[in-house]
Amino acid sequence: MFENLQDKLNTAFRTLKGKDRISDINVAATTKEVRKALVDADVNFKIAKEITDRIKETALDRKILISVEPGQMFVKIVQEELTELMGGKAEGINIKGDPAVILIAGLQGSGKTTFSGKLAQHLKKQGRQVLLTACDVYRPAAIDQLKVLGEQIGVEVYAEPENKNAVSIAENAVAYARKSGKKIVIVDTAGRLAVDEVMMNEVADIKSTIQPTEILFVVDSMTGQDAVNTAKTFNERLNFDGVVLTKLDGDARGGAALSIRQVVEKPIKFISTGEKMEALDAFYPDRMASRILGMGDVISLVERA
Amino acid sequence: EKTNDSFFGKLSKALVGKTTIDDDVLDELEDILVSSDVGVETTLKVIKRIEERVARDKYATTAELDRILREEIAELLIQNKSVDFTDSFETQHLPKPYVIMVVGVNGVGKTTTIGKLAHQFNQRGHKVVLGAADTFRAAAVDQLKLWGQRVNVPVIDHGMNTDPSAVAFDALKKAKEVGADVVIIDTAGRLHTKVNLMNELSKIKRVMQKIIPDSPHEVLLVLDGSTGQNAVIQAREFTKVTEITALAVTKLDGTAKGGVVIGISDEFKIPVKYIGVGEKMDDLQVFDRVEFVDSLFKKIG
Ligand SMILES: Nc1nc2c(ncn2[C@@H]2O[C@H](COP(=O)(O)OP(=O)(O)OP(=O)(O)O)[C@@H](O)[C@H]2O)c(=O)[nH]1
Ligand SMILES: Nc1nc2c(ncn2[C@@H]2O[C@H](COP(=O)(O)OP(=O)(O)OP(=O)(O)O)[C@@H](O)[C@H]2O)c(=O)[nH]1
Ligand SMILES: [Mg+2]
Ligand SMILES: [Mg+2]
């Protein structure tokens, strides 16, 4: 993909041989190629337009000399721009509070329950007392799933199998944590669609009842154009603090990461890179930018054995 | 519906008395398709077809143009050629037991789709057996067993962390014994990039053939309707290790359009057979090309 894009860009530039600066015309042709590449990587098409327009300005501003490999140079500019768009300083999660409460939300099957387990293990390794809470009262065996993970990592799971009210389970879990000296409560919730009013109200109710110190929105890196709508609605309802990008051990280019970042302006705080409890990583904007452009990102993709 | 009308309204206005479509309209069509995850390549293909068609055919009315547009897109979605197209849940003409293996990447909705399928067959009085061959993901067996209880269908399982091929083997054996019409095998979610896990699918298939030589009769690849262009690669890679006979597209009850299946169906000649429109047992529909194409032009975000 990356070579592909670079080649296309080289071709676009070749037509202007002899000129020593990037001009309006060849930048227009090349930005069109970049835009296509971004959309192919699942960056939302509107956002891809915005970004390439901005890149066009930058490229013209910098008056870059057309080198032997103008395509490569242009890709580099794009890569830098994307990195910056996804960047900012690395932000941790807020675990202050007694207990600190972390709410996990997102679409069906995005990887919330798996991530909840991973985060619990990660915090446990830092020597903290963690409680996992099973608030998915709908999906068959959702509670069992979390319990199995809890057992694997040696973290207690709070559940009320007979209680169908997720809000009260969350509330009781926090009370239980306080009583039993747990410092962090991680609340796993059911998957829900942004258009499902009843379910969106439920998670909003959980939020207002337990007042989380941190709310994380979990999103599948394979998500397409719709990522922006979902992220926007979840953010409107929850004003979440950060994003978790999952299934990055695959070969999805992950353009949704860029779209979401643009639409809700919230940092990506973790990436999930496998089914095992260890497969959790920090987010690196430059790696993600390379990945979206198809430049490969071996380092953060390799699943740990 | 509003936007729907306005797009076609605009399109026809721009086309009255013309033999070519103007760029603005094509740009708008491009936006609609791309925003439905149709993908740049397939979108350009659709646009080219429409340009050719408009240049070739004369159209008199807006309605006609509207129809041309929809037809051209629907044309890319290949028809389900199996005899059971009109009612996918009839089993009389099928081998008995009819073996369906369900595959796909993590979290797309395989297990849920199996529960819904079992319900559909069961409701029509067909005898169903399920095989819990996802022995890997936490509580996957329990999840399928709960679906079995919910729709009143037996589930064969060997518990967690057992050999999935052995479960599939036993499920087929059991299905034969009890004279089941349909047996559906759940498999663990696997990313197509994981070679070992992909090879495991071939093994499950080989082992099943010891009981029923021409099984599985159907390999259903489940795709998440909110997935973008990676779904194309999923289709390609799963096709490499096992012959995919049909697609199921899930989670179309949300705002995602699942447009990526247009290119997939066209490129790999695999029909979309079912769509998932919710989490309940009745939330499964037989795929309808025309309805699907219509939905692309609704609620443009
Ligand atoms: N390869 C891979 N699989 C993952 C990753 N994260 C989660 N999964 C798998 O994705 C599937 C769905 O994960 P879950 O954690 O159950 O997702 P969820 O969001 O809790 O799902 P619901 O509760 O049904 O909404 C499971 O098969 C997980 O093992 C990841 O980073 N990489
Ligand atoms: N809204 C909606 N949710 C669905 C649909 N199909 C499945 N789901 C949900 O998606 C989540 C994942 O579904 P599963 O059936 O567990 O997916 P899977 O492919 O078996 O997952 P793994 O076995 O972990 O790979 C669950 O929360 C389901 O309830 C659908 O058509 N619409
Ligand atoms: Mg879950
Ligand atoms: Mg499953």
Side-chain angles (χ1 to χ4, degrees):
Chain A
M1 193 62 187
F2 173 49
E3 270 75 31
N4 199 356
L5 176 62
Q6 226 168 261
D7 289 348
K8 280 188 188 149
L9 297 185
N10 280 334
T11 315
F13 278 113
R14 205 164 299 138
T15 51
L16 281 130
K17 233 187 191 161
K19 298 201 175 177
D20 62 350
R21 301 206 181 275
I22 288 180
S23 73
D24 270 332
I25 309 153
N26 56 358
V27 166
T30 48
T31 46
K32 205 169 165 201
E33 290 300 335
V34 171
R35 187 178 301 168
K36 264 194 228 162
L38 292 179
V39 172
D40 269 337
D42 294 324
V43 175
N44 180 269
F45 77 108
K46 279 186 200 151
I47 289 166
K49 271 183 196 160
E50 284 165 27
I51 290 173
T52 46
D53 285 347
R54 193 145 63 210
I55 288 170
K56 191 153 71 182
E57 308 271 289
T58 313
L60 288 169
D61 263 6
R62 290 206 217 160
K63 299 218 185 332
I64 297 141
L65 288 168
I66 293 181
S67 62
V68 210
E69 291 281 0
Q72 193 179 350
M73 204 174 229
F74 198 74
V75 169
K76 194 164 168 284
I77 298 176
V78 177
Q79 206 266 355
E80 283 167 13
E81 283 289 314
L82 298 191
T83 304
E84 206 169 298
L85 290 176
M86 279 182 298
K89 59 177 170 42
E91 283 178 66
I93 54 170
N94 183 3
I95 46 171
K96 289 198 191 88
D98 190 24
V101 177
I102 306 171
L103 179 64
I104 312 295
L107 292 183
Q108 285 93 345
S110 54
K112 295 174 297 299
T113 305
T114 309
F115 171 73
S116 299
K118 290 177 183 182
L119 183 61
Q121 165 156 294
H122 174 76
L123 294 169
K124 184 191 168 195
K125 278 185 178 161
Q126 298 177 348
R128 302 178 202 276
Q129 295 286 312
V130 187
L131 181 71
L132 276 164
T133 306
C135 279
D136 181 351
V137 298
Y138 311 98
R139 169 172 166 170
I143 297 174
D144 296 327
Q145 186 188 358
L146 195 65
K147 278 187 171 166
V148 170
L149 298 180
E151 213 159 280
Q152 261 175 40
I153 59 176
V155 167
E156 186 178 347
V157 174
Y158 184 88
E160 297 180 29
E162 303 307 320
N163 187 350
K164 292 290 168 218
N165 182 339
V167 181
S168 83
I169 298 171
E171 193 174 17
N172 296 343
V174 174
Y176 175 79
R178 215 166 266 138
K179 208 169 61 195
S180 58
K182 297 283 198 293
K183 295 296 177 220
I184 301 175
V185 183
I186 299 173
V187 180
D188 179 29
T189 61
R192 66 202 73 225
L193 294 170
V195 287
D196 188 333
E197 266 309 303
V198 175
M199 290 298 285
M200 291 307 285
N201 285 339
E202 180 200 70
V203 73
D205 281 353
I206 295 179
K207 175 185 173 172
S208 59
T209 306
I210 60 175
Q211 309 256 330
T213 35
E214 179 81 21
I215 303 176
L216 295 173
F217 174 62
V218 179
V219 60
D220 187 325
S221 60
M222 297 181 265
T223 312
Q225 296 291 316
D226 194 52
V228 289
N229 300 327
T230 309
K232 221 186 282 169
T233 311
F234 271 83
N235 195 47
E236 277 160 18
R237 297 303 299 267
L238 296 177
N239 188 20
F240 55 72
D241 302 289
V243 176
V244 179
L245 206 56
T246 65
K247 307 181 198 174
L248 275 170
D249 45 327
D251 56 2
R253 304 266 297 284
L258 187 57
S259 307
I260 292 173
R261 176 76 209 212
Q262 288 306 295
V263 158
V264 299
E265 293 177 351
K266 297 287 169 69
I268 298 170
K269 294 193 171 177
F270 292 101
I271 64 168
S272 215
T273 57
E275 297 191 71
K276 298 203 182 82
M277 288 296 102
E278 290 70 33
L280 183 70
D281 254 307
F283 174 74
Y284 299 98
D286 53 333
R287 291 185 192 174
M288 200 62 218
S290 303
R291 185 180 178 124
I292 291 172
L293 284 169
M295 293 159 86
D297 179 11
V298 203
I299 319 152
S300 64
L301 305 188
V302 184
E303 189 182 5
R304 296 153 198 182
Chain B
E1 297 290 335
K2 255 267 167 58
T3 4
N4 183 1
D5 294 341
S6 79
F7 172 70
F8 286 108
K10 223 186 263 182
L11 181 64
S12 29
K13 210 178 292 163
L15 280 170
V16 175
K18 289 184 192 168
T19 47
T20 53
I21 305 184
D22 79 33
D23 283 350
D24 284 353
V25 175
L26 288 180
D27 279 353
E28 185 147 350
L29 177 61
E30 183 178 332
D31 282 355
I32 289 170
L33 295 176
V34 164
S35 70
S36 308
D37 290 312
V38 171
V40 176
E41 213 176 295
T42 310
T43 295
L44 295 177
K45 188 170 174 175
V46 169
I47 288 181
K48 194 157 161 265
R49 286 170 70 122
I50 287 168
E51 279 179 317
E52 284 169 6
R53 175 95 177 252
V54 167
R56 193 180 64 226
D57 301 355
K58 296 253 183 285
Y59 51 89
T61 62
T62 322
E64 208 178 333
L65 178 66
D66 182 318
R67 183 179 48 79
I68 290 176
L69 182 56
R70 283 158 204 253
E71 271 173 18
E72 285 300 324
I73 299 170
E75 199 57 35
L76 295 172
L77 286 158
I78 80 150
Q79 299 266 16
N80 190 330
K81 297 223 173 49
S82 67
V83 272
D84 56 341
F85 179 59
T86 44
D87 186 348
S88 293
F89 307 109
E90 283 313 320
T91 63
Q92 285 85 332
H93 53 282
L94 301 175
K96 185 175 171 170
Y98 186 67
V99 181
I100 306 173
M101 177 163 90
V102 179
V103 301
V105 301
N106 307 82
V108 288
K110 294 175 292 300
T111 307
T112 307
T113 302
I114 291 169
K116 295 173 187 173
L117 280 172
H119 176 61
Q120 293 293 339
F121 286 117
N122 191 46
Q123 265 198 324
R124 286 165 177 75
H126 308 310
K127 204 164 184 173
V128 185
V129 167
L130 302 181
D134 178 359
T135 60
F136 179 71
R137 208 217 58 226
V141 171
D142 287 335
Q143 186 188 1
L144 191 71
K145 279 162 88 175
L146 283 167
W147 267 107
Q149 279 172 30
R150 195 184 268 186
V151 303
N152 202 18
V153 156
V155 177
I156 307 303
D157 82 280
H158 290 183
M160 291 302 296
N161 305 312
T162 59
D163 177 12
S165 310
V167 179
F169 183 91
D170 271 5
L172 265 58
K173 208 166 115 208
K174 182 78 179 179
K176 264 182 119 171
E177 274 166 29
V178 301
D181 300 297
V182 184
V183 43
I184 313 176
I185 306 297
D186 190 15
T187 63
R190 65 200 73 225
L191 293 179
H192 50 276
T193 47
K194 315 247 157 128
V195 180
N196 291 344
L197 294 177
M198 292 302 276
N199 288 338
E200 185 187 80
L201 289 179
S202 316
K203 188 187 167 199
I204 297 175
K205 196 169 156 177
R206 267 199 316 278
V207 172
M208 288 198 290
Q209 288 170 345
K210 288 182 184 163
I211 304 270
I212 301 172
D214 57 347
S215 70
H217 305 102
E218 180 158 331
V219 181
L220 188 65
L221 175 66
V222 181
L223 298 172
D224 183 325
S226 62
T227 302
Q229 298 311 301
N230 193 252
V232 180
I233 308 174
Q234 290 169 26
R236 181 172 303 139
E237 296 302 317
F238 275 93
T239 309
K240 277 184 194 160
V241 295
T242 177
E243 199 184 323
I244 304 297
T245 57
L247 305 173
V249 188
T250 62
K251 308 182 194 175
L252 289 181
D253 44 327
T255 40
K257 301 283 180 42
V260 68
V261 298
I262 293 175
I264 292 174
S265 180
D266 182 48
E267 181 176 347
F268 304 101
K269 306 299 169 209
I270 311 171
V272 182
K273 202 164 179 182
Y274 307 109
I275 63 168
V277 292
E279 301 185 75
K280 294 192 287 294
M281 61 177 127
D282 288 312
D283 294 332
L284 182 82
Q285 294 170 7
V286 173
F287 181 70
D288 180 326
R289 298 201 303 172
V290 174
E291 243 173 61
F292 183 78
V293 173
D294 278 355
S295 76
L296 297 182
F297 294 95
K298 282 178 199 150
K299 303 181 282 181
I300 297 149

